Amino acid sequence: MTTINDLKHKGFSLVLSGGGALGMYYLGVFKFLEEKNIVPKEIIGTSIGAVLGSLWAQGFTSEEIIQKVTSILKSCGNSSQKFSKQFKKELLGMYLDTNKEFNIPFSALTLEYLTLEPKKFDFPSNHNLRDVILAATALPGKYEPVTIEGVSYVDAYSITNFPVEFASSNYILGIDVLSSCDLSKFRESKSLILSVKKNAFALYSRSLFRLIQKDSISKAKEYDCIHLSPKGSTHDLFRYSIIGERIEQGYNDMKDLFEG
């Protein structure tokens, strides 16, 4: 089993799950690793894990990413709904430098739209990073699939949200922001007209996320990785207004993990 001593002294894979706004937790993880001069052998991410993981792998510091993210949030008046759209536009459309060298090898997980087979895109490579990240965050039902070299791809969260199986190292630090979510807090509509539709969707969502949680926990045991998941998280995958709290929690959880 991977130990803290392994992470400090041996090359390890850093695996980042999907999880929307919960993924801001990763910025605290990056900040801690920077302070301790701990550099992973590779970074592998799904969805938001791919977005933030790719930035850090390219050499952007945690503070640079935090400043960019908080700047976007401020410009949106702390509105999570507006932030979600602007975040995608600025970070994926402008902030990602497709020609930038990678300080750390990076892989993004996507899902082939027709076959539902996971597809891993490795960097550095000749792939267009912007297209791959757009595909890795193309949430089915919300965004159109992204075509890369004639094949359509979407967000892989429903099949491999916690992609530890793609790690090349025997030592794995897996950060999984979805597994500890309290799914009982999905809001149910009180409107007589909308309740059937909205509550049915809430039930579907809870069921899907429960399956994702079970799969992630099972894989963490199978691959003997250090599995870090924030405690007390709610299902608010699109609540970006508490970014600071999530970053602080990520940093403190890492500190407890390594120094506790």
Side-chain angles (χ1 to χ4, degrees), residues 66-89:
I66 290 170
Q67 287 180 1
K68 184 66 175 181
V69 169
T70 53
S71 174
I72 297 173
L73 182 62
K74 186 176 180 180
S75 70
C76 295
N78 285 335
S79 167
S80 294
Q81 184 175 7
K82 292 180 180 178
F83 176 86
S84 185
K85 295 179 180 178
Q86 196 67 15
F87 178 79
K88 198 172 182 74
K89 178 182 178 181

mmCIF file of all heavy atoms in Angstrom, residues 66-89:
data_model
loop_
_atom_site.group_PDB
_atom_site.id
_atom_site.type_symbol
_atom_site.label_atom_id
_atom_site.label_comp_id
_atom_site.label_asym_id
_atom_site.label_seq_id
_atom_site.Cartn_x
_atom_site.Cartn_y
_atom_site.Cartn_z
ATOM 1 N N ILE A 66 -5.265 30.518 -8.376
ATOM 2 C CA ILE A 66 -6.230 31.053 -7.412
ATOM 3 C C ILE A 66 -6.584 32.495 -7.765
ATOM 4 O O ILE A 66 -7.764 32.887 -7.745
ATOM 5 C CB ILE A 66 -5.667 30.975 -5.980
ATOM 6 C CG1 ILE A 66 -5.591 29.512 -5.517
ATOM 7 C CG2 ILE A 66 -6.538 31.776 -5.006
ATOM 8 C CD1 ILE A 66 -4.833 29.309 -4.224
ATOM 9 N N GLN A 67 -5.580 33.287 -8.095
ATOM 10 C CA GLN A 67 -5.829 34.691 -8.440
ATOM 11 C C GLN A 67 -6.712 34.804 -9.680
ATOM 12 O O GLN A 67 -7.609 35.645 -9.745
ATOM 13 C CB GLN A 67 -4.505 35.426 -8.665
ATOM 14 C CG GLN A 67 -3.726 35.696 -7.394
ATOM 15 C CD GLN A 67 -2.418 36.422 -7.643
ATOM 16 O OE1 GLN A 67 -2.075 36.751 -8.770
ATOM 17 N NE2 GLN A 67 -1.664 36.664 -6.576
ATOM 18 N N LYS A 68 -6.455 33.935 -10.667
ATOM 19 C CA LYS A 68 -7.255 33.970 -11.885
ATOM 20 C C LYS A 68 -8.697 33.573 -11.595
ATOM 21 O O LYS A 68 -9.646 34.227 -12.043
ATOM 22 C CB LYS A 68 -6.644 33.020 -12.926
ATOM 23 C CG LYS A 68 -7.337 33.051 -14.276
ATOM 24 C CD LYS A 68 -7.155 34.389 -14.971
ATOM 25 C CE LYS A 68 -7.740 34.363 -16.370
ATOM 26 N NZ LYS A 68 -7.552 35.642 -17.079
ATOM 27 N N VAL A 69 -8.871 32.502 -10.843
ATOM 28 C CA VAL A 69 -10.206 32.004 -10.536
ATOM 29 C C VAL A 69 -10.998 33.016 -9.712
ATOM 30 O O VAL A 69 -12.167 33.291 -9.990
ATOM 31 C CB VAL A 69 -10.118 30.660 -9.790
ATOM 32 C CG1 VAL A 69 -11.470 30.254 -9.238
ATOM 33 C CG2 VAL A 69 -9.594 29.566 -10.714
ATOM 34 N N THR A 70 -10.358 33.578 -8.684
ATOM 35 C CA THR A 70 -11.062 34.550 -7.835
ATOM 36 C C THR A 70 -11.371 35.822 -8.608
ATOM 37 O O THR A 70 -12.387 36.482 -8.347
ATOM 38 C CB THR A 70 -10.236 34.875 -6.573
ATOM 39 O OG1 THR A 70 -8.909 35.268 -6.959
ATOM 40 C CG2 THR A 70 -10.160 33.679 -5.657
ATOM 41 N N SER A 71 -10.504 36.180 -9.548
ATOM 42 C CA SER A 71 -10.751 37.364 -10.383
ATOM 43 C C SER A 71 -11.995 37.159 -11.242
ATOM 44 O O SER A 71 -12.823 38.066 -11.390
ATOM 45 C CB SER A 71 -9.538 37.647 -11.274
ATOM 46 O OG SER A 71 -9.801 38.693 -12.187
ATOM 47 N N ILE A 72 -12.128 35.970 -11.800
ATOM 48 C CA ILE A 72 -13.306 35.656 -12.612
ATOM 49 C C ILE A 72 -14.560 35.704 -11.742
ATOM 50 O O ILE A 72 -15.584 36.263 -12.147
ATOM 51 C CB ILE A 72 -13.160 34.267 -13.275
ATOM 52 C CG1 ILE A 72 -11.978 34.249 -14.239
ATOM 53 C CG2 ILE A 72 -14.450 33.893 -14.026
ATOM 54 C CD1 ILE A 72 -11.677 32.878 -14.794
ATOM 55 N N LEU A 73 -14.474 35.115 -10.555
ATOM 56 C CA LEU A 73 -15.630 35.099 -9.652
ATOM 57 C C LEU A 73 -16.054 36.520 -9.271
ATOM 58 O O LEU A 73 -17.244 36.851 -9.276
ATOM 59 C CB LEU A 73 -15.305 34.301 -8.391
ATOM 60 C CG LEU A 73 -16.450 34.150 -7.377
ATOM 61 C CD1 LEU A 73 -17.615 33.396 -7.990
ATOM 62 C CD2 LEU A 73 -15.959 33.440 -6.121
ATOM 63 N N LYS A 74 -15.057 37.375 -8.974
ATOM 64 C CA LYS A 74 -15.351 38.756 -8.602
ATOM 65 C C LYS A 74 -16.020 39.498 -9.752
ATOM 66 O O LYS A 74 -16.966 40.266 -9.541
ATOM 67 C CB LYS A 74 -14.068 39.469 -8.190
ATOM 68 C CG LYS A 74 -14.289 40.878 -7.651
ATOM 69 C CD LYS A 74 -12.977 41.493 -7.180
ATOM 70 C CE LYS A 74 -13.203 42.904 -6.646
ATOM 71 N NZ LYS A 74 -11.926 43.519 -6.172
ATOM 72 N N SER A 75 -15.540 39.271 -10.968
ATOM 73 C CA SER A 75 -16.116 39.943 -12.132
ATOM 74 C C SER A 75 -17.549 39.484 -12.390
ATOM 75 O O SER A 75 -18.311 40.174 -13.072
ATOM 76 C CB SER A 75 -15.264 39.683 -13.377
ATOM 77 O OG SER A 75 -15.357 38.330 -13.798
ATOM 78 N N CYS A 76 -17.915 38.334 -11.847
ATOM 79 C CA CYS A 76 -19.271 37.794 -12.020
ATOM 80 C C CYS A 76 -20.168 38.128 -10.826
ATOM 81 O O CYS A 76 -21.270 37.583 -10.709
ATOM 82 C CB CYS A 76 -19.209 36.276 -12.203
ATOM 83 S SG CYS A 76 -18.371 35.748 -13.702
ATOM 84 N N GLY A 77 -19.685 38.993 -9.935
ATOM 85 C CA GLY A 77 -20.484 39.377 -8.782
ATOM 86 C C GLY A 77 -20.744 38.232 -7.829
ATOM 87 O O GLY A 77 -21.801 38.167 -7.188
ATOM 88 N N ASN A 78 -19.779 37.300 -7.732
ATOM 89 C CA ASN A 78 -19.898 36.111 -6.867
ATOM 90 C C ASN A 78 -21.076 35.220 -7.235
ATOM 91 O O ASN A 78 -21.571 34.452 -6.420
ATOM 92 C CB ASN A 78 -20.001 36.507 -5.396
ATOM 93 C CG ASN A 78 -18.667 36.959 -4.823
ATOM 94 O OD1 ASN A 78 -17.615 36.571 -5.317
ATOM 95 N ND2 ASN A 78 -18.709 37.789 -3.801
ATOM 96 N N SER A 79 -21.527 35.325 -8.472
ATOM 97 C CA SER A 79 -22.618 34.477 -8.953
ATOM 98 C C SER A 79 -22.048 33.174 -9.498
ATOM 99 O O SER A 79 -21.275 33.174 -10.462
ATOM 100 C CB SER A 79 -23.405 35.196 -10.049
ATOM 101 O OG SER A 79 -24.265 34.291 -10.726
ATOM 102 N N SER A 80 -22.437 32.060 -8.875
ATOM 103 C CA SER A 80 -21.936 30.760 -9.325
ATOM 104 C C SER A 80 -22.385 30.449 -10.746
ATOM 105 O O SER A 80 -21.650 29.863 -11.539
ATOM 106 C CB SER A 80 -22.408 29.660 -8.365
ATOM 107 O OG SER A 80 -21.820 29.810 -7.098
ATOM 108 N N GLN A 81 -23.617 30.835 -11.084
ATOM 109 C CA GLN A 81 -24.147 30.554 -12.411
ATOM 110 C C GLN A 81 -23.363 31.296 -13.490
ATOM 111 O O GLN A 81 -22.982 30.728 -14.512
ATOM 112 C CB GLN A 81 -25.620 30.935 -12.487
ATOM 113 C CG GLN A 81 -26.278 30.572 -13.821
ATOM 114 C CD GLN A 81 -27.775 30.853 -13.818
ATOM 115 O OE1 GLN A 81 -28.300 31.433 -12.886
ATOM 116 N NE2 GLN A 81 -28.450 30.439 -14.869
ATOM 117 N N LYS A 82 -23.098 32.578 -13.256
ATOM 118 C CA LYS A 82 -22.331 33.360 -14.225
ATOM 119 C C LYS A 82 -20.882 32.887 -14.276
ATOM 120 O O LYS A 82 -20.266 32.852 -15.332
ATOM 121 C CB LYS A 82 -22.386 34.842 -13.855
ATOM 122 C CG LYS A 82 -23.758 35.479 -14.005
ATOM 123 C CD LYS A 82 -23.715 36.944 -13.611
ATOM 124 C CE LYS A 82 -25.089 37.597 -13.751
ATOM 125 N NZ LYS A 82 -25.062 39.018 -13.331
ATOM 126 N N PHE A 83 -20.355 32.523 -13.112
ATOM 127 C CA PHE A 83 -18.966 32.083 -13.039
ATOM 128 C C PHE A 83 -18.741 30.841 -13.880
ATOM 129 O O PHE A 83 -17.728 30.711 -14.559
ATOM 130 C CB PHE A 83 -18.574 31.798 -11.593
ATOM 131 C CG PHE A 83 -17.175 31.235 -11.440
ATOM 132 C CD1 PHE A 83 -16.080 32.072 -11.347
ATOM 133 C CD2 PHE A 83 -16.971 29.861 -11.410
ATOM 134 C CE1 PHE A 83 -14.800 31.552 -11.223
ATOM 135 C CE2 PHE A 83 -15.700 29.331 -11.289
ATOM 136 C CZ PHE A 83 -14.605 30.187 -11.193
ATOM 137 N N SER A 84 -19.667 29.904 -13.814
ATOM 138 C CA SER A 84 -19.524 28.648 -14.547
ATOM 139 C C SER A 84 -19.302 28.892 -16.035
ATOM 140 O O SER A 84 -18.445 28.270 -16.665
ATOM 141 C CB SER A 84 -20.773 27.772 -14.343
ATOM 142 O OG SER A 84 -20.607 26.524 -14.955
ATOM 143 N N LYS A 85 -20.056 29.840 -16.602
ATOM 144 C CA LYS A 85 -19.914 30.151 -18.020
ATOM 145 C C LYS A 85 -18.612 30.904 -18.294
ATOM 146 O O LYS A 85 -17.893 30.609 -19.244
ATOM 147 C CB LYS A 85 -21.099 30.978 -18.493
ATOM 148 C CG LYS A 85 -22.431 30.251 -18.443
ATOM 149 C CD LYS A 85 -23.561 31.149 -18.913
ATOM 150 C CE LYS A 85 -24.897 30.419 -18.850
ATOM 151 N NZ LYS A 85 -26.020 31.295 -19.271
ATOM 152 N N GLN A 86 -18.307 31.887 -17.456
ATOM 153 C CA GLN A 86 -17.112 32.698 -17.660
ATOM 154 C C GLN A 86 -15.844 31.892 -17.423
ATOM 155 O O GLN A 86 -14.834 32.075 -18.093
ATOM 156 C CB GLN A 86 -17.149 33.906 -16.726
ATOM 157 C CG GLN A 86 -16.176 35.016 -17.086
ATOM 158 C CD GLN A 86 -16.525 35.698 -18.403
ATOM 159 O OE1 GLN A 86 -17.640 35.530 -18.911
ATOM 160 N NE2 GLN A 86 -15.598 36.454 -18.956
ATOM 161 N N PHE A 87 -15.902 30.997 -16.452
ATOM 162 C CA PHE A 87 -14.774 30.119 -16.130
ATOM 163 C C PHE A 87 -14.374 29.313 -17.362
ATOM 164 O O PHE A 87 -13.210 29.215 -17.720
ATOM 165 C CB PHE A 87 -15.186 29.190 -14.983
ATOM 166 C CG PHE A 87 -14.142 28.186 -14.570
ATOM 167 C CD1 PHE A 87 -13.078 28.553 -13.770
ATOM 168 C CD2 PHE A 87 -14.251 26.853 -14.952
ATOM 169 C CE1 PHE A 87 -12.126 27.636 -13.372
ATOM 170 C CE2 PHE A 87 -13.311 25.921 -14.561
ATOM 171 C CZ PHE A 87 -12.239 26.319 -13.759
ATOM 172 N N LYS A 88 -15.369 28.725 -18.004
ATOM 173 C CA LYS A 88 -15.114 27.914 -19.188
ATOM 174 C C LYS A 88 -14.544 28.770 -20.314
ATOM 175 O O LYS A 88 -13.607 28.379 -21.012
ATOM 176 C CB LYS A 88 -16.410 27.242 -19.638
ATOM 177 C CG LYS A 88 -16.211 26.055 -20.577
ATOM 178 C CD LYS A 88 -17.529 25.350 -20.791
ATOM 179 C CE LYS A 88 -17.357 24.132 -21.675
ATOM 180 N NZ LYS A 88 -16.701 23.020 -20.994
ATOM 181 N N LYS A 89 -15.102 29.981 -20.472
ATOM 182 C CA LYS A 89 -14.654 30.866 -21.542
ATOM 183 C C LYS A 89 -13.221 31.329 -21.341
ATOM 184 O O LYS A 89 -12.394 31.255 -22.261
ATOM 185 C CB LYS A 89 -15.578 32.080 -21.619
ATOM 186 C CG LYS A 89 -15.170 33.094 -22.677
ATOM 187 C CD LYS A 89 -16.111 34.292 -22.664
ATOM 188 C CE LYS A 89 -15.665 35.337 -23.687
ATOM 189 N NZ LYS A 89 -16.561 36.528 -23.657
#
